[in-house]
Amino acid sequence: MSARARAIMAALSAAFLATAACSGGKGGSSHAASVTQPVKGGPIEAGVIPAKGTPSYNFLRDLANGLEKDYPGTKMTLTFANTEARPGLEQRWRSGKGPDLDYGMFDGTNPNLQDWANDDFLVDLTPYLKQQNPQTGKPWLDSFSPTAQPFMKNKDGKYYAVPTEASLTVLFYNAKIFKDHDIKPPATWDELLTAVDQLKAAGVDPIAVTGLFEPYMGMWSDYLFLRSVGYAKTRAALSDCTGKLDDPGFADGLTKLQQLRDKGAFLKGFQGTDFTAAQASFFQGKAGMILMGSWLVSEMKKSIPPDFQLGAIGFPSLPGGHGDQTALMGGEQLVSLNAKSDVIPLAIEWLKRLTSKQTQTARAKEIGEVSAVNDVGAPPEMPGMDKVMKSASTMVPRYYGIPDSKTKDAVYPEIAKLFFGKSDAQQTLNNLKSNLSRVCGN
């Protein structure tokens, strides 16, 4: 175990071992009555987001080693639970053999990700979250940011997940290039267009983007619609099939996206560039900006030059737009507990350790993860992120739930065509209307 992990464990052990009798439970509808079950060691499997061998994974492995040490008989397996691993894991869940803890099973802001809770696959975490933390004198629930709590809670008012990190979609920029060429970080759309022109004049591609993953291109249209139309109306039209694309803000957002394309704002060759290469191009100084989730720093930690100067700002406002001009798009990486787990008290202990202020602070400093826990600062490698978070009026879910809805093949492919120059803004809007009418049946 590393020195850092031993320090975290020393700080956590006294608090969590003292409250072991207040942890635990059992799957099913009656686990509220068994929250006082003692924690016992045993085999436990937890889904994790980072791949094996990455700094993020090694951090979690150290934390797991501490759990194994404190509870004899514990053997913790960390299973990759991201991207291509999800279909196989969901098959395991359906067969009743899912991991004790897993990501991607619940999101209170997305009706398409609430069935696992509604069908009793997940432990209701409400009684645990309402227990008092002896360190703070407040319920565990109060340690999480108010912006995170809607993601944790189902429509029945019960909580089925806790956030282990936040994923905020912001505009990152190369602060050194901007400073060297006297470029102002753009706060408005017109300032963004000016920055594009100045970066091109400096011989730098303005915006890094991948052409091989449609939702990442869709981040641009998502934010434009958030500013020009508003979240609720956009989600109703693009994901929930309860609205239409009749607001003029939709045409305005697509027109602005075409503006960027026609200016040649995107990374040369982006059409065939995957997201890792696009991110690497940004950190290599080949592009001045990238609209990306806050996982950018932790994901690329090994590839970021030591002297790289990163800046972060919110997505530019659209003066005259009818949407929220300061809302922040993002999400929470949420982990849920299997109702069929044989080690629920031990799993609760893992969640408490993982979401403690000590652990979250260490992850922010060492890995670059943005925390959903109160009073944990933004990663030091992300200058400006604290200001972005404090100035945001609210946080709304990224992607509008599109990847999990029946409209997933009706929306982002059309945005990709606009990026690629295969359609203009008006044709894109017409195609979206046609596709959504067909899929939604209206």
Side-chain angles (χ1 to χ4, degrees):
M1 186 187 302
S2 68
R4 174 258 297 141
R6 286 195 296 271
I8 292 174
M9 288 302 101
L12 293 175
S13 291
F16 289 120
L17 290 174
T19 59
C22 296
S23 301
K26 187 177 181 181
S29 60
S30 63
H31 49 267
S34 55
V35 293
T36 57
Q37 243 183 317
V39 180
K40 297 180 180 179
I44 180 172
E45 182 184 8
V48 295
I49 298 298
K52 193 171 183 178
T54 63
S56 293
Y57 178 91
N58 294 338
F59 186 102
L60 295 175
R61 184 65 260 174
D62 282 346
L63 198 65
N65 291 344
L67 191 72
E68 293 174 348
K69 179 182 178 182
D70 290 339
Y71 295 99
T74 297
K75 177 63 178 176
M76 190 162 198
T77 301
L78 303 182
T79 299
F80 182 63
N82 203 3
T83 56
E84 69 270 13
R86 291 311 312 162
L89 283 170
E90 290 181 8
Q91 281 296 102
R92 288 181 53 189
W93 275 87
R94 293 187 184 94
S95 67
K97 298 178 181 179
D100 298 286
L101 298 147
D102 199 9
Y103 285 86
M105 304 303 295
F106 180 80
D107 183 339
T109 67
N110 186 349
N112 301 304
L113 282 178
Q114 295 171 17
D115 288 345
W116 296 103
N118 297 335
D119 294 340
D120 298 324
F121 281 89
L122 309 179
V123 170
D124 171 16
L125 297 174
T126 309
Y128 306 103
L129 287 162
K130 289 185 176 180
Q131 286 184 312
Q132 190 177 85
N133 182 335
Q135 288 183 302
T136 64
K138 298 178 181 179
W140 182 22
L141 178 63
D142 288 359
S143 67
F144 297 104
S145 166
T147 60
Q149 293 187 25
F151 292 82
M152 304 162 60
K153 186 168 61 175
N154 202 10
K155 59 185 177 182
D156 61 6
K158 298 176 181 179
Y159 294 83
Y160 288 95
V162 294
T164 58
E165 62 256 25
S167 299
L168 312 178
T169 306
V170 300
L171 189 62
F172 291 102
Y173 65 96
N174 187 318
K176 186 177 187 305
I177 289 177
F178 272 61
K179 182 178 180 180
D180 289 347
H181 296 280
D182 197 26
I183 302 172
K184 179 182 178 181
T188 67
W189 187 258
D190 285 344
E191 290 177 358
L192 176 67
L193 297 179
T194 297
V196 165
D197 290 338
Q198 290 175 301
L199 286 165
K200 289 186 68 178
V204 179
D205 289 345
I207 297 168
V209 66
T210 172
L212 296 180
F213 188 59
E214 293 167 351
Y216 280 7
M217 288 181 278
M219 287 179 176
W220 281 91
S221 54
D222 285 354
Y223 251 124
L224 283 164
F225 293 153
L226 178 65
R227 300 286 189 254
S228 63
V229 179
Y231 183 83
K233 188 176 286 188
T234 300
R235 174 149 191 159
L238 297 185
S239 178
D240 296 342
C241 289
T242 58
K244 294 185 178 182
L245 297 171
D246 52 0
D247 189 295
F250 287 110
D252 182 56
L254 293 171
T255 298
K256 284 180 167 55
L257 185 55
Q258 184 178 334
Q259 273 185 309
L260 290 181
R261 183 200 71 188
D262 292 348
K263 274 181 169 290
F266 303 124
L267 181 71
K268 292 183 181 66
F270 81 91
Q271 297 89 339
T273 303
D274 68 21
F275 66 91
T276 301
Q279 293 172 175
S281 293
F282 170 69
F283 285 116
Q284 291 163 2
K286 297 177 181 178
M289 296 176 282
I290 185 169
L291 182 64
M292 188 51 60
S294 53
W295 60 79
L296 176 70
V297 171
S298 61
E299 191 170 83
M300 300 297 292
K301 200 169 186 69
K302 290 184 177 180
S303 303
I304 302 175
D307 59 346
F308 191 89
Q309 297 175 28
L310 185 68
I313 54 175
F315 192 85
S317 65
L318 302 185
H322 296 157
D324 193 324
Q325 302 305 310
T326 60
L328 182 63
M329 299 201 85
E332 303 289 344
Q333 297 291 2
L334 298 157
V335 61
S336 300
L337 209 168
N338 192 335
K340 293 188 177 182
S341 171
D342 294 326
V343 289
I344 288 179
L346 186 63
I348 291 290
E349 178 74 1
W350 168 254
L351 291 179
K352 286 183 175 179
R353 293 185 178 212
L354 184 56
T355 61
S356 72
K357 183 177 178 180
Q358 296 97 322
T359 300
Q360 292 287 305
T361 299
R363 288 188 84 189
K365 290 181 177 179
E366 299 180 28
I367 308 300
E369 298 284 6
V370 175
S371 180
V373 172
N374 290 321
D375 301 321
V376 175
E381 303 100 325
M382 294 186 191
M385 183 62 80
D386 275 326
K387 183 178 179 181
V388 170
M389 295 167 66
K390 289 177 182 178
S391 62
S393 58
T394 186
M395 186 172 80
V396 297
R398 65 178 183 271
Y399 303 139
Y400 299 99
I402 294 170
D404 301 301
S405 77
K406 62 182 179 181
T407 67
K408 63 181 179 180
D409 295 324
V411 178
Y412 289 139
E414 297 302 330
I415 300 301
K417 291 178 185 177
L418 179 57
F419 266 82
F420 294 162
K422 295 182 178 179
S423 60
D424 61 23
Q426 186 59 53
Q427 289 170 329
T428 301
L429 182 61
N430 293 341
N431 291 343
L432 285 171
K433 288 180 177 180
S434 177
N435 291 352
L436 291 169
S437 178
R438 170 176 49 81
V439 171
C440 297
N442 58 6

